[in-house]
Amino acid sequence: MPAVTIIEQAERPGQILGRYRLLAENMHDLAIFVGMDGRIVEVNASAARTYGAPAEHFVGMPVSQICYCGEGCAIQTTLESGEPRTWESVHRRMDGTLLPVEVSTVRAELGGETLVLCVARDLSHRRRRDLLQSIIHEIDCAILRGDQAENIQE
């Protein structure tokens, strides 16, 4: 890396930090930082809005309170193994409703602290779209077969 680039980066850490804060607070994905004790350290605005409570509510909460999956939690697995993971899972909102998500996790050292960053993407819109596409496909097939309207509605 050229020396000028290193100097430029060293002279503007606040600007770089500001960019990442802007990204984290305005992205649609849910960002959750979890400590090695399995407790939430921080969530972004999208996570707070989606899960249904102010961001401060989540600080210190065991991540198991939002992970709702029988086969294990990607976040807990990454805490234990250190291996990055991406898989589909189900999280629970504060009102108890379930939220299908795609979860990507990575463990990292930041300032002497080991954390897991979890980025979760809400899959509920995608699931509804897939269901509607499936229904439309079935209707198209029924029409092409010449099924009666009464049978198509079933």
Side-chain angles (χ1 to χ4, degrees):
M1 181 177 292
V4 174
T5 304
I6 294 170
I7 292 169
E8 287 173 358
Q9 288 177 353
E11 289 177 353
R12 52 192 178 99
Q15 185 179 17
I16 294 168
L17 182 61
R19 286 183 191 151
Y20 281 100
R21 175 61 66 188
L22 180 66
L23 171 66
E25 290 305 318
N26 290 287
M27 66 185 199
H28 295 283
D29 289 339
L30 320 176
I32 306 157
F33 286 95
V34 180
M36 288 303 291
D37 61 356
R39 294 186 177 278
I40 296 172
V41 174
E42 184 178 355
V43 300
N44 70 345
S46 186
R49 190 172 41 257
T50 300
Y51 291 124
E56 302 79 36
H57 176 82
F58 296 95
V59 175
M61 175 188 291
V63 73
S64 59
Q65 286 190 305
I66 61 168
C67 287
Y68 179 86
C69 46
E71 72 280 350
C73 175
I75 301 167
Q76 190 62 41
T77 301
T78 300
L79 278 169
E80 294 166 1
S81 71
E83 296 294 319
R85 310 208 35 103
T86 299
W87 62 21
E88 289 189 15
S89 186
V90 178
H91 282 185
R92 183 182 350 200
R93 294 183 177 101
M94 293 299 103
D95 66 3
T97 59
L98 301 180
L99 175 69
V101 290
E102 178 185 77
V103 180
S104 296
T105 58
V106 62
R107 191 166 86 179
E109 283 279 328
L110 297 172
E113 181 180 21
T114 304
L115 296 171
V116 169
L117 168 60
C118 167
V119 177
R121 177 161 292 160
D122 181 351
L123 296 179
S124 55
H125 295 295
R126 186 183 306 172
R127 298 262 172 96
R128 279 193 291 267
R129 183 194 65 219
D130 291 348
L131 177 61
L132 286 173
Q133 286 177 335
S134 174
I135 291 169
I136 289 169
H137 176 74
E138 289 300 318
I139 291 171
D140 283 347
C141 289
I143 290 170
L144 290 173
R145 283 192 309 265
D147 290 355
Q148 297 296 318
E150 302 82 38
N151 295 337
I152 294 175
Q153 291 176 358
E154 295 174 356

